[in-house]
Amino acid sequence: MQKNACNLCKCRQQNGAEGEIRWEALLPLVKKTGERTNSWESYFDEKELRILKEKLPRLESSDELTQSWVRVIARIEHCLKAGLPPDSSEGQAIASEIERLSELTFGENKDLMNKFWELRKNPDSTNQGLVPLRLEVLQFVEECLSSV
């Protein structure tokens, strides 16, 4: 658990995202690591897991893909705070960036992308080891993508 907490702090410093990500929402994830009974990984077969483990962003990583996803979430949080709707120019720019990042993450595997997104939208996914995202963020993403 100490290692996970250090990784989160390191990621926070590397991303310069101080104040943009709700870190208080991430800390329970670290604390619950030992309490999980069903991991998100159980929803996927071996081939899918290989792809996901290789491509999914990890908060402890400083790779460009992870950093890009973190920036998108920060932009969404900014839109929500500023009251910008999903069909605004910023919302549409976010939708385009999400589509680009999804292509980099999932490639041509639309079935895997949709399967992962369905799991991601499930409120229980945070109890299964995925980084917590507020319902408002997830709804904003869906509305952005549906208005493209």
PDB file of all heavy atoms in Angstrom, residues 35-73:
ATOM      1  N   GLU A  35      -8.877  -5.310  -0.140  1.00  0.00           N
ATOM      2  CA  GLU A  35     -10.255  -5.669   0.159  1.00  0.00           C
ATOM      3  C   GLU A  35     -11.028  -6.170  -1.054  1.00  0.00           C
ATOM      4  O   GLU A  35     -12.117  -6.685  -0.898  1.00  0.00           O
ATOM      5  CB  GLU A  35     -10.988  -4.450   0.728  1.00  0.00           C
ATOM      6  CG  GLU A  35     -10.383  -3.910   2.002  1.00  0.00           C
ATOM      7  CD  GLU A  35     -11.016  -2.602   2.429  1.00  0.00           C
ATOM      8  OE1 GLU A  35     -12.091  -2.250   1.904  1.00  0.00           O
ATOM      9  OE2 GLU A  35     -10.434  -1.926   3.273  1.00  0.00           O
ATOM     10  N   ARG A  36     -10.481  -6.011  -2.248  1.00  0.00           N
ATOM     11  CA  ARG A  36     -11.204  -6.378  -3.461  1.00  0.00           C
ATOM     12  C   ARG A  36     -11.452  -7.871  -3.524  1.00  0.00           C
ATOM     13  O   ARG A  36     -10.565  -8.667  -3.283  1.00  0.00           O
ATOM     14  CB  ARG A  36     -10.399  -5.976  -4.697  1.00  0.00           C
ATOM     15  CG  ARG A  36     -10.678  -4.587  -5.125  1.00  0.00           C
ATOM     16  CD  ARG A  36      -9.980  -4.312  -6.426  1.00  0.00           C
ATOM     17  NE  ARG A  36      -9.045  -3.234  -6.127  1.00  0.00           N
ATOM     18  CZ  ARG A  36      -7.804  -3.189  -6.495  1.00  0.00           C
ATOM     19  NH1 ARG A  36      -7.283  -4.126  -7.222  1.00  0.00           N
ATOM     20  NH2 ARG A  36      -7.040  -2.183  -6.156  1.00  0.00           N
ATOM     21  N   THR A  37     -12.674  -8.233  -3.883  1.00  0.00           N
ATOM     22  CA  THR A  37     -12.985  -9.637  -4.052  1.00  0.00           C
ATOM     23  C   THR A  37     -13.102  -9.989  -5.530  1.00  0.00           C
ATOM     24  O   THR A  37     -12.850 -11.109  -5.915  1.00  0.00           O
ATOM     25  CB  THR A  37     -14.311 -10.000  -3.347  1.00  0.00           C
ATOM     26  OG1 THR A  37     -15.345  -9.149  -3.846  1.00  0.00           O
ATOM     27  CG2 THR A  37     -14.196  -9.837  -1.844  1.00  0.00           C
ATOM     28  N   ASN A  38     -13.475  -9.029  -6.359  1.00  0.00           N
ATOM     29  CA  ASN A  38     -13.654  -9.266  -7.777  1.00  0.00           C
ATOM     30  C   ASN A  38     -12.965  -8.148  -8.546  1.00  0.00           C
ATOM     31  O   ASN A  38     -13.343  -7.001  -8.446  1.00  0.00           O
ATOM     32  CB  ASN A  38     -15.148  -9.321  -8.114  1.00  0.00           C
ATOM     33  CG  ASN A  38     -15.395  -9.895  -9.474  1.00  0.00           C
ATOM     34  OD1 ASN A  38     -14.536 -10.509 -10.084  1.00  0.00           O
ATOM     35  ND2 ASN A  38     -16.601  -9.687  -9.963  1.00  0.00           N
ATOM     36  N   SER A  39     -11.950  -8.494  -9.296  1.00  0.00           N
ATOM     37  CA  SER A  39     -11.187  -7.510 -10.043  1.00  0.00           C
ATOM     38  C   SER A  39     -11.830  -7.247 -11.398  1.00  0.00           C
ATOM     39  O   SER A  39     -12.488  -8.123 -11.967  1.00  0.00           O
ATOM     40  CB  SER A  39      -9.762  -8.021 -10.238  1.00  0.00           C
ATOM     41  OG  SER A  39      -9.068  -7.198 -11.130  1.00  0.00           O
ATOM     42  N   TRP A  40     -11.609  -6.053 -11.932  1.00  0.00           N
ATOM     43  CA  TRP A  40     -12.093  -5.723 -13.275  1.00  0.00           C
ATOM     44  C   TRP A  40     -11.557  -6.714 -14.296  1.00  0.00           C
ATOM     45  O   TRP A  40     -12.189  -6.965 -15.314  1.00  0.00           O
ATOM     46  CB  TRP A  40     -11.716  -4.290 -13.653  1.00  0.00           C
ATOM     47  CG  TRP A  40     -10.229  -4.054 -13.788  1.00  0.00           C
ATOM     48  CD1 TRP A  40      -9.375  -3.651 -12.813  1.00  0.00           C
ATOM     49  CD2 TRP A  40      -9.432  -4.233 -14.957  1.00  0.00           C
ATOM     50  NE1 TRP A  40      -8.097  -3.567 -13.297  1.00  0.00           N
ATOM     51  CE2 TRP A  40      -8.103  -3.912 -14.620  1.00  0.00           C
ATOM     52  CE3 TRP A  40      -9.709  -4.629 -16.264  1.00  0.00           C
ATOM     53  CZ2 TRP A  40      -7.063  -3.975 -15.530  1.00  0.00           C
ATOM     54  CZ3 TRP A  40      -8.668  -4.691 -17.178  1.00  0.00           C
ATOM     55  CH2 TRP A  40      -7.369  -4.361 -16.807  1.00  0.00           C
ATOM     56  N   GLU A  41     -10.414  -7.301 -14.015  1.00  0.00           N
ATOM     57  CA  GLU A  41      -9.776  -8.232 -14.942  1.00  0.00           C
ATOM     58  C   GLU A  41     -10.612  -9.477 -15.196  1.00  0.00           C
ATOM     59  O   GLU A  41     -10.493 -10.112 -16.242  1.00  0.00           O
ATOM     60  CB  GLU A  41      -8.392  -8.613 -14.429  1.00  0.00           C
ATOM     61  CG  GLU A  41      -7.449  -7.431 -14.372  1.00  0.00           C
ATOM     62  CD  GLU A  41      -6.145  -7.748 -13.660  1.00  0.00           C
ATOM     63  OE1 GLU A  41      -6.025  -8.839 -13.068  1.00  0.00           O
ATOM     64  OE2 GLU A  41      -5.249  -6.894 -13.704  1.00  0.00           O
ATOM     65  N   SER A  42     -11.484  -9.805 -14.243  1.00  0.00           N
ATOM     66  CA  SER A  42     -12.292 -11.017 -14.386  1.00  0.00           C
ATOM     67  C   SER A  42     -13.344 -10.894 -15.500  1.00  0.00           C
ATOM     68  O   SER A  42     -13.930 -11.892 -15.903  1.00  0.00           O
ATOM     69  CB  SER A  42     -12.977 -11.366 -13.064  1.00  0.00           C
ATOM     70  OG  SER A  42     -13.911 -10.365 -12.712  1.00  0.00           O
ATOM     71  N   TYR A  43     -13.552  -9.708 -16.025  1.00  0.00           N
ATOM     72  CA  TYR A  43     -14.546  -9.488 -17.079  1.00  0.00           C
ATOM     73  C   TYR A  43     -13.992  -9.745 -18.479  1.00  0.00           C
ATOM     74  O   TYR A  43     -14.721  -9.687 -19.458  1.00  0.00           O
ATOM     75  CB  TYR A  43     -15.085  -8.060 -17.014  1.00  0.00           C
ATOM     76  CG  TYR A  43     -15.915  -7.821 -15.779  1.00  0.00           C
ATOM     77  CD1 TYR A  43     -15.326  -7.319 -14.626  1.00  0.00           C
ATOM     78  CD2 TYR A  43     -17.268  -8.134 -15.756  1.00  0.00           C
ATOM     79  CE1 TYR A  43     -16.074  -7.116 -13.477  1.00  0.00           C
ATOM     80  CE2 TYR A  43     -18.025  -7.945 -14.612  1.00  0.00           C
ATOM     81  CZ  TYR A  43     -17.409  -7.435 -13.475  1.00  0.00           C
ATOM     82  OH  TYR A  43     -18.150  -7.243 -12.348  1.00  0.00           O
ATOM     83  N   PHE A  44     -12.681 -10.015 -18.565  1.00  0.00           N
ATOM     84  CA  PHE A  44     -12.046 -10.139 -19.867  1.00  0.00           C
ATOM     85  C   PHE A  44     -11.334 -11.472 -20.000  1.00  0.00           C
ATOM     86  O   PHE A  44     -10.871 -12.051 -19.025  1.00  0.00           O
ATOM     87  CB  PHE A  44     -11.032  -8.994 -20.055  1.00  0.00           C
ATOM     88  CG  PHE A  44     -11.678  -7.635 -19.956  1.00  0.00           C
ATOM     89  CD1 PHE A  44     -11.668  -6.940 -18.758  1.00  0.00           C
ATOM     90  CD2 PHE A  44     -12.309  -7.076 -21.055  1.00  0.00           C
ATOM     91  CE1 PHE A  44     -12.278  -5.701 -18.654  1.00  0.00           C
ATOM     92  CE2 PHE A  44     -12.922  -5.840 -20.960  1.00  0.00           C
ATOM     93  CZ  PHE A  44     -12.911  -5.149 -19.759  1.00  0.00           C
ATOM     94  N   ASP A  45     -11.240 -11.951 -21.256  1.00  0.00           N
ATOM     95  CA  ASP A  45     -10.492 -13.192 -21.490  1.00  0.00           C
ATOM     96  C   ASP A  45      -8.996 -12.869 -21.564  1.00  0.00           C
ATOM     97  O   ASP A  45      -8.592 -11.714 -21.500  1.00  0.00           O
ATOM     98  CB  ASP A  45     -11.001 -13.915 -22.743  1.00  0.00           C
ATOM     99  CG  ASP A  45     -10.782 -13.138 -24.032  1.00  0.00           C
ATOM    100  OD1 ASP A  45      -9.748 -12.437 -24.164  1.00  0.00           O
ATOM    101  OD2 ASP A  45     -11.638 -13.244 -24.931  1.00  0.00           O
ATOM    102  N   GLU A  46      -8.176 -13.923 -21.694  1.00  0.00           N
ATOM    103  CA  GLU A  46      -6.715 -13.749 -21.659  1.00  0.00           C
ATOM    104  C   GLU A  46      -6.207 -12.816 -22.747  1.00  0.00           C
ATOM    105  O   GLU A  46      -5.348 -11.974 -22.497  1.00  0.00           O
ATOM    106  CB  GLU A  46      -6.021 -15.111 -21.769  1.00  0.00           C
ATOM    107  CG  GLU A  46      -6.049 -15.903 -20.487  1.00  0.00           C
ATOM    108  CD  GLU A  46      -5.239 -17.182 -20.614  1.00  0.00           C
ATOM    109  OE1 GLU A  46      -4.169 -17.144 -21.237  1.00  0.00           O
ATOM    110  OE2 GLU A  46      -5.701 -18.202 -20.081  1.00  0.00           O
ATOM    111  N   LYS A  47      -6.710 -12.974 -23.949  1.00  0.00           N
ATOM    112  CA  LYS A  47      -6.268 -12.125 -25.067  1.00  0.00           C
ATOM    113  C   LYS A  47      -6.616 -10.666 -24.808  1.00  0.00           C
ATOM    114  O   LYS A  47      -5.796  -9.762 -25.010  1.00  0.00           O
ATOM    115  CB  LYS A  47      -6.905 -12.611 -26.366  1.00  0.00           C
ATOM    116  CG  LYS A  47      -6.472 -11.817 -27.586  1.00  0.00           C
ATOM    117  CD  LYS A  47      -7.148 -12.323 -28.840  1.00  0.00           C
ATOM    118  CE  LYS A  47      -6.756 -11.458 -30.029  1.00  0.00           C
ATOM    119  NZ  LYS A  47      -7.506 -11.825 -31.231  1.00  0.00           N
ATOM    120  N   GLU A  48      -7.844 -10.427 -24.350  1.00  0.00           N
ATOM    121  CA  GLU A  48      -8.268  -9.058 -24.046  1.00  0.00           C
ATOM    122  C   GLU A  48      -7.420  -8.462 -22.928  1.00  0.00           C
ATOM    123  O   GLU A  48      -7.012  -7.300 -22.996  1.00  0.00           O
ATOM    124  CB  GLU A  48      -9.749  -9.042 -23.644  1.00  0.00           C
ATOM    125  CG  GLU A  48     -10.691  -9.383 -24.771  1.00  0.00           C
ATOM    126  CD  GLU A  48     -12.118  -9.606 -24.304  1.00  0.00           C
ATOM    127  OE1 GLU A  48     -12.324 -10.057 -23.149  1.00  0.00           O
ATOM    128  OE2 GLU A  48     -13.040  -9.345 -25.096  1.00  0.00           O
ATOM    129  N   LEU A  49      -7.144  -9.271 -21.897  1.00  0.00           N
ATOM    130  CA  LEU A  49      -6.327  -8.794 -20.777  1.00  0.00           C
ATOM    131  C   LEU A  49      -4.921  -8.412 -21.203  1.00  0.00           C
ATOM    132  O   LEU A  49      -4.367  -7.423 -20.731  1.00  0.00           O
ATOM    133  CB  LEU A  49      -6.256  -9.844 -19.667  1.00  0.00           C
ATOM    134  CG  LEU A  49      -7.398  -9.824 -18.675  1.00  0.00           C
ATOM    135  CD1 LEU A  49      -7.261 -10.970 -17.692  1.00  0.00           C
ATOM    136  CD2 LEU A  49      -7.470  -8.502 -17.955  1.00  0.00           C
ATOM    137  N   ARG A  50      -4.330  -9.208 -22.100  1.00  0.00           N
ATOM    138  CA  ARG A  50      -2.997  -8.870 -22.599  1.00  0.00           C
ATOM    139  C   ARG A  50      -2.997  -7.494 -23.252  1.00  0.00           C
ATOM    140  O   ARG A  50      -2.116  -6.673 -23.009  1.00  0.00           O
ATOM    141  CB  ARG A  50      -2.511  -9.924 -23.604  1.00  0.00           C
ATOM    142  CG  ARG A  50      -1.681 -11.009 -22.997  1.00  0.00           C
ATOM    143  CD  ARG A  50      -0.954 -11.831 -24.051  1.00  0.00           C
ATOM    144  NE  ARG A  50      -1.779 -12.311 -25.146  1.00  0.00           N
ATOM    145  CZ  ARG A  50      -2.512 -13.412 -25.121  1.00  0.00           C
ATOM    146  NH1 ARG A  50      -2.552 -14.156 -24.033  1.00  0.00           N
ATOM    147  NH2 ARG A  50      -3.218 -13.782 -26.172  1.00  0.00           N
ATOM    148  N   ILE A  51      -4.002  -7.236 -24.073  1.00  0.00           N
ATOM    149  CA  ILE A  51      -4.112  -5.945 -24.753  1.00  0.00           C
ATOM    150  C   ILE A  51      -4.317  -4.830 -23.731  1.00  0.00           C
ATOM    151  O   ILE A  51      -3.631  -3.806 -23.765  1.00  0.00           O
ATOM    152  CB  ILE A  51      -5.275  -5.951 -25.775  1.00  0.00           C
ATOM    153  CG1 ILE A  51      -4.973  -6.939 -26.900  1.00  0.00           C
ATOM    154  CG2 ILE A  51      -5.533  -4.551 -26.321  1.00  0.00           C
ATOM    155  CD1 ILE A  51      -6.171  -7.252 -27.782  1.00  0.00           C
ATOM    156  N   LEU A  52      -5.256  -5.035 -22.811  1.00  0.00           N
ATOM    157  CA  LEU A  52      -5.563  -4.003 -21.824  1.00  0.00           C
ATOM    158  C   LEU A  52      -4.377  -3.708 -20.912  1.00  0.00           C
ATOM    159  O   LEU A  52      -4.070  -2.544 -20.640  1.00  0.00           O
ATOM    160  CB  LEU A  52      -6.782  -4.409 -20.992  1.00  0.00           C
ATOM    161  CG  LEU A  52      -8.108  -4.430 -21.748  1.00  0.00           C
ATOM    162  CD1 LEU A  52      -9.206  -5.030 -20.876  1.00  0.00           C
ATOM    163  CD2 LEU A  52      -8.489  -3.038 -22.226  1.00  0.00           C
ATOM    164  N   LYS A  53      -3.707  -4.743 -20.451  1.00  0.00           N
ATOM    165  CA  LYS A  53      -2.576  -4.525 -19.545  1.00  0.00           C
ATOM    166  C   LYS A  53      -1.423  -3.812 -20.243  1.00  0.00           C
ATOM    167  O   LYS A  53      -0.672  -3.081 -19.614  1.00  0.00           O
ATOM    168  CB  LYS A  53      -2.111  -5.846 -18.936  1.00  0.00           C
ATOM    169  CG  LYS A  53      -3.077  -6.344 -17.881  1.00  0.00           C
ATOM    170  CD  LYS A  53      -2.581  -7.617 -17.240  1.00  0.00           C
ATOM    171  CE  LYS A  53      -3.517  -8.034 -16.123  1.00  0.00           C
ATOM    172  NZ  LYS A  53      -3.019  -9.186 -15.385  1.00  0.00           N
ATOM    173  N   GLU A  54      -1.317  -4.016 -21.533  1.00  0.00           N
ATOM    174  CA  GLU A  54      -0.261  -3.344 -22.291  1.00  0.00           C
ATOM    175  C   GLU A  54      -0.632  -1.897 -22.603  1.00  0.00           C
ATOM    176  O   GLU A  54       0.217  -1.009 -22.578  1.00  0.00           O
ATOM    177  CB  GLU A  54      -0.015  -4.102 -23.597  1.00  0.00           C
ATOM    178  CG  GLU A  54       1.048  -3.477 -24.462  1.00  0.00           C
ATOM    179  CD  GLU A  54       1.212  -4.216 -25.776  1.00  0.00           C
ATOM    180  OE1 GLU A  54       1.130  -5.460 -25.794  1.00  0.00           O
ATOM    181  OE2 GLU A  54       1.422  -3.539 -26.794  1.00  0.00           O
ATOM    182  N   LYS A  55      -1.913  -1.643 -22.872  1.00  0.00           N
ATOM    183  CA  LYS A  55      -2.313  -0.338 -23.401  1.00  0.00           C
ATOM    184  C   LYS A  55      -3.010   0.606 -22.425  1.00  0.00           C
ATOM    185  O   LYS A  55      -2.966   1.816 -22.620  1.00  0.00           O
ATOM    186  CB  LYS A  55      -3.249  -0.539 -24.606  1.00  0.00           C
ATOM    187  CG  LYS A  55      -2.584  -1.189 -25.787  1.00  0.00           C
ATOM    188  CD  LYS A  55      -1.595  -0.247 -26.408  1.00  0.00           C
ATOM    189  CE  LYS A  55      -1.106  -0.775 -27.735  1.00  0.00           C
ATOM    190  NZ  LYS A  55      -0.395   0.218 -28.485  1.00  0.00           N
ATOM    191  N   LEU A  56      -3.675   0.069 -21.412  1.00  0.00           N
ATOM    192  CA  LEU A  56      -4.418   0.959 -20.515  1.00  0.00           C
ATOM    193  C   LEU A  56      -3.476   1.895 -19.776  1.00  0.00           C
ATOM    194  O   LEU A  56      -2.390   1.495 -19.356  1.00  0.00           O
ATOM    195  CB  LEU A  56      -5.225   0.161 -19.497  1.00  0.00           C
ATOM    196  CG  LEU A  56      -6.529  -0.450 -19.975  1.00  0.00           C
ATOM    197  CD1 LEU A  56      -7.218  -1.172 -18.828  1.00  0.00           C
ATOM    198  CD2 LEU A  56      -7.457   0.569 -20.592  1.00  0.00           C
ATOM    199  N   PRO A  57      -3.894   3.141 -19.593  1.00  0.00           N
ATOM    200  CA  PRO A  57      -3.063   4.076 -18.830  1.00  0.00           C
ATOM    201  C   PRO A  57      -2.950   3.640 -17.376  1.00  0.00           C
ATOM    202  O   PRO A  57      -3.885   3.052 -16.823  1.00  0.00           O
ATOM    203  CB  PRO A  57      -3.813   5.407 -18.932  1.00  0.00           C
ATOM    204  CG  PRO A  57      -5.073   5.148 -19.638  1.00  0.00           C
ATOM    205  CD  PRO A  57      -5.106   3.735 -20.092  1.00  0.00           C
ATOM    206  N   ARG A  58      -1.806   3.912 -16.774  1.00  0.00           N
ATOM    207  CA  ARG A  58      -1.564   3.610 -15.363  1.00  0.00           C
ATOM    208  C   ARG A  58      -1.128   4.893 -14.688  1.00  0.00           C
ATOM    209  O   ARG A  58      -0.206   5.564 -15.166  1.00  0.00           O
ATOM    210  CB  ARG A  58      -0.469   2.563 -15.220  1.00  0.00           C
ATOM    211  CG  ARG A  58      -0.885   1.205 -15.675  1.00  0.00           C
ATOM    212  CD  ARG A  58       0.220   0.198 -15.380  1.00  0.00           C
ATOM    213  NE  ARG A  58      -0.146  -1.114 -15.844  1.00  0.00           N
ATOM    214  CZ  ARG A  58       0.076  -1.549 -17.074  1.00  0.00           C
ATOM    215  NH1 ARG A  58       0.682  -0.782 -17.948  1.00  0.00           N
ATOM    216  NH2 ARG A  58      -0.295  -2.760 -17.433  1.00  0.00           N
ATOM    217  N   LEU A  59      -1.752   5.226 -13.583  1.00  0.00           N
ATOM    218  CA  LEU A  59      -1.431   6.476 -12.899  1.00  0.00           C
ATOM    219  C   LEU A  59       0.030   6.563 -12.488  1.00  0.00           C
ATOM    220  O   LEU A  59       0.600   7.635 -12.434  1.00  0.00           O
ATOM    221  CB  LEU A  59      -2.323   6.661 -11.671  1.00  0.00           C
ATOM    222  CG  LEU A  59      -3.726   7.146 -11.966  1.00  0.00           C
ATOM    223  CD1 LEU A  59      -4.518   7.278 -10.676  1.00  0.00           C
ATOM    224  CD2 LEU A  59      -3.711   8.462 -12.705  1.00  0.00           C
ATOM    225  N   GLU A  60       0.636   5.420 -12.202  1.00  0.00           N
ATOM    226  CA  GLU A  60       2.034   5.458 -11.779  1.00  0.00           C
ATOM    227  C   GLU A  60       2.992   5.629 -12.959  1.00  0.00           C
ATOM    228  O   GLU A  60       4.193   5.792 -12.771  1.00  0.00           O
ATOM    229  CB  GLU A  60       2.395   4.200 -10.982  1.00  0.00           C
ATOM    230  CG  GLU A  60       2.433   2.918 -11.786  1.00  0.00           C
ATOM    231  CD  GLU A  60       1.089   2.212 -11.914  1.00  0.00           C
ATOM    232  OE1 GLU A  60       0.055   2.760 -11.485  1.00  0.00           O
ATOM    233  OE2 GLU A  60       1.067   1.095 -12.459  1.00  0.00           O
ATOM    234  N   SER A  61       2.466   5.618 -14.163  1.00  0.00           N
ATOM    235  CA  SER A  61       3.298   5.732 -15.359  1.00  0.00           C
ATOM    236  C   SER A  61       3.370   7.186 -15.824  1.00  0.00           C
ATOM    237  O   SER A  61       2.447   7.969 -15.618  1.00  0.00           O
ATOM    238  CB  SER A  61       2.699   4.870 -16.470  1.00  0.00           C
ATOM    239  OG  SER A  61       3.413   5.013 -17.659  1.00  0.00           O
ATOM    240  N   SER A  62       4.460   7.512 -16.470  1.00  0.00           N
ATOM    241  CA  SER A  62       4.588   8.873 -16.995  1.00  0.00           C
ATOM    242  C   SER A  62       4.601   8.866 -18.521  1.00  0.00           C
ATOM    243  O   SER A  62       5.026   9.836 -19.139  1.00  0.00           O
ATOM    244  CB  SER A  62       5.867   9.523 -16.458  1.00  0.00           C
ATOM    245  OG  SER A  62       6.993   8.783 -16.874  1.00  0.00           O
ATOM    246  N   ASP A  63       4.106   7.772 -19.131  1.00  0.00           N
ATOM    247  CA  ASP A  63       4.097   7.705 -20.588  1.00  0.00           C
ATOM    248  C   ASP A  63       3.101   8.719 -21.164  1.00  0.00           C
ATOM    249  O   ASP A  63       2.195   9.189 -20.481  1.00  0.00           O
ATOM    250  CB  ASP A  63       3.784   6.281 -21.062  1.00  0.00           C
ATOM    251  CG  ASP A  63       2.370   5.874 -20.729  1.00  0.00           C
ATOM    252  OD1 ASP A  63       2.136   5.456 -19.575  1.00  0.00           O
ATOM    253  OD2 ASP A  63       1.495   5.976 -21.598  1.00  0.00           O
ATOM    254  N   GLU A  64       3.288   9.047 -22.419  1.00  0.00           N
ATOM    255  CA  GLU A  64       2.484  10.091 -23.070  1.00  0.00           C
ATOM    256  C   GLU A  64       0.998   9.733 -23.124  1.00  0.00           C
ATOM    257  O   GLU A  64       0.142  10.600 -22.934  1.00  0.00           O
ATOM    258  CB  GLU A  64       3.020  10.376 -24.473  1.00  0.00           C
ATOM    259  CG  GLU A  64       2.288  11.496 -25.185  1.00  0.00           C
ATOM    260  CD  GLU A  64       2.249  12.829 -24.432  1.00  0.00           C
ATOM    261  OE1 GLU A  64       3.233  13.165 -23.747  1.00  0.00           O
ATOM    262  OE2 GLU A  64       1.228  13.531 -24.531  1.00  0.00           O
ATOM    263  N   LEU A  65       0.667   8.478 -23.369  1.00  0.00           N
ATOM    264  CA  LEU A  65      -0.739   8.080 -23.442  1.00  0.00           C
ATOM    265  C   LEU A  65      -1.436   8.307 -22.104  1.00  0.00           C
ATOM    266  O   LEU A  65      -2.533   8.878 -22.050  1.00  0.00           O
ATOM    267  CB  LEU A  65      -0.867   6.620 -23.889  1.00  0.00           C
ATOM    268  CG  LEU A  65      -2.283   6.093 -24.093  1.00  0.00           C
ATOM    269  CD1 LEU A  65      -3.024   6.898 -25.157  1.00  0.00           C
ATOM    270  CD2 LEU A  65      -2.250   4.619 -24.458  1.00  0.00           C
ATOM    271  N   THR A  66      -0.797   7.892 -21.023  1.00  0.00           N
ATOM    272  CA  THR A  66      -1.370   8.103 -19.696  1.00  0.00           C
ATOM    273  C   THR A  66      -1.528   9.588 -19.418  1.00  0.00           C
ATOM    274  O   THR A  66      -2.583  10.038 -18.967  1.00  0.00           O
ATOM    275  CB  THR A  66      -0.488   7.447 -18.613  1.00  0.00           C
ATOM    276  OG1 THR A  66      -0.447   6.036 -18.845  1.00  0.00           O
ATOM    277  CG2 THR A  66      -1.037   7.715 -17.222  1.00  0.00           C
ATOM    278  N   GLN A  67      -0.497  10.349 -19.706  1.00  0.00           N
ATOM    279  CA  GLN A  67      -0.550  11.803 -19.472  1.00  0.00           C
ATOM    280  C   GLN A  67      -1.675  12.441 -20.283  1.00  0.00           C
ATOM    281  O   GLN A  67      -2.369  13.336 -19.795  1.00  0.00           O
ATOM    282  CB  GLN A  67       0.793  12.430 -19.839  1.00  0.00           C
ATOM    283  CG  GLN A  67       1.955  11.842 -19.085  1.00  0.00           C
ATOM    284  CD  GLN A  67       2.525  12.775 -18.066  1.00  0.00           C
ATOM    285  OE1 GLN A  67       2.279  13.957 -18.095  1.00  0.00           O
ATOM    286  NE2 GLN A  67       3.302  12.227 -17.160  1.00  0.00           N
ATOM    287  N   SER A  68      -1.878  11.966 -21.510  1.00  0.00           N
ATOM    288  CA  SER A  68      -2.944  12.509 -22.362  1.00  0.00           C
ATOM    289  C   SER A  68      -4.320  12.223 -21.779  1.00  0.00           C
ATOM    290  O   SER A  68      -5.197  13.097 -21.784  1.00  0.00           O
ATOM    291  CB  SER A  68      -2.842  11.939 -23.778  1.00  0.00           C
ATOM    292  OG  SER A  68      -1.649  12.360 -24.393  1.00  0.00           O
ATOM    293  N   TRP A  69      -4.517  11.007 -21.270  1.00  0.00           N
ATOM    294  CA  TRP A  69      -5.801  10.681 -20.641  1.00  0.00           C
ATOM    295  C   TRP A  69      -6.028  11.544 -19.390  1.00  0.00           C
ATOM    296  O   TRP A  69      -7.136  12.032 -19.157  1.00  0.00           O
ATOM    297  CB  TRP A  69      -5.889   9.194 -20.276  1.00  0.00           C
ATOM    298  CG  TRP A  69      -6.252   8.297 -21.430  1.00  0.00           C
ATOM    299  CD1 TRP A  69      -5.453   7.381 -22.043  1.00  0.00           C
ATOM    300  CD2 TRP A  69      -7.524   8.230 -22.107  1.00  0.00           C
ATOM    301  NE1 TRP A  69      -6.150   6.744 -23.050  1.00  0.00           N
ATOM    302  CE2 TRP A  69      -7.416   7.242 -23.103  1.00  0.00           C
ATOM    303  CE3 TRP A  69      -8.732   8.913 -21.952  1.00  0.00           C
ATOM    304  CZ2 TRP A  69      -8.472   6.915 -23.956  1.00  0.00           C
ATOM    305  CZ3 TRP A  69      -9.792   8.580 -22.792  1.00  0.00           C
ATOM    306  CH2 TRP A  69      -9.657   7.602 -23.783  1.00  0.00           C
ATOM    307  N   VAL A  70      -4.993  11.746 -18.603  1.00  0.00           N
ATOM    308  CA  VAL A  70      -5.112  12.589 -17.402  1.00  0.00           C
ATOM    309  C   VAL A  70      -5.502  14.012 -17.806  1.00  0.00           C
ATOM    310  O   VAL A  70      -6.371  14.637 -17.183  1.00  0.00           O
ATOM    311  CB  VAL A  70      -3.796  12.565 -16.586  1.00  0.00           C
ATOM    312  CG1 VAL A  70      -3.793  13.634 -15.502  1.00  0.00           C
ATOM    313  CG2 VAL A  70      -3.581  11.189 -15.968  1.00  0.00           C
ATOM    314  N   ARG A  71      -4.887  14.529 -18.862  1.00  0.00           N
ATOM    315  CA  ARG A  71      -5.219  15.887 -19.326  1.00  0.00           C
ATOM    316  C   ARG A  71      -6.667  15.979 -19.815  1.00  0.00           C
ATOM    317  O   ARG A  71      -7.340  16.982 -19.582  1.00  0.00           O
ATOM    318  CB  ARG A  71      -4.253  16.331 -20.429  1.00  0.00           C
ATOM    319  CG  ARG A  71      -2.869  16.706 -19.891  1.00  0.00           C
ATOM    320  CD  ARG A  71      -2.001  17.370 -20.951  1.00  0.00           C
ATOM    321  NE  ARG A  71      -1.675  16.500 -22.072  1.00  0.00           N
ATOM    322  CZ  ARG A  71      -0.595  15.717 -22.130  1.00  0.00           C
ATOM    323  NH1 ARG A  71       0.272  15.690 -21.138  1.00  0.00           N
ATOM    324  NH2 ARG A  71      -0.375  14.981 -23.196  1.00  0.00           N
ATOM    325  N   VAL A  72      -7.154  14.935 -20.477  1.00  0.00           N
ATOM    326  CA  VAL A  72      -8.547  14.929 -20.939  1.00  0.00           C
ATOM    327  C   VAL A  72      -9.501  14.992 -19.754  1.00  0.00           C
ATOM    328  O   VAL A  72     -10.470  15.766 -19.761  1.00  0.00           O
ATOM    329  CB  VAL A  72      -8.851  13.701 -21.830  1.00  0.00           C
ATOM    330  CG1 VAL A  72     -10.346  13.494 -22.008  1.00  0.00           C
ATOM    331  CG2 VAL A  72      -8.187  13.849 -23.181  1.00  0.00           C
ATOM    332  N   ILE A  73      -9.229  14.203 -18.729  1.00  0.00           N
ATOM    333  CA  ILE A  73     -10.089  14.221 -17.529  1.00  0.00           C
ATOM    334  C   ILE A  73     -10.052  15.609 -16.891  1.00  0.00           C
ATOM    335  O   ILE A  73     -11.093  16.134 -16.471  1.00  0.00           O
ATOM    336  CB  ILE A  73      -9.658  13.131 -16.517  1.00  0.00           C
ATOM    337  CG1 ILE A  73      -9.752  11.731 -17.136  1.00  0.00           C
ATOM    338  CG2 ILE A  73     -10.480  13.221 -15.229  1.00  0.00           C
ATOM    339  CD1 ILE A  73     -11.109  11.340 -17.648  1.00  0.00           C
TER     340      ILE A  73
END
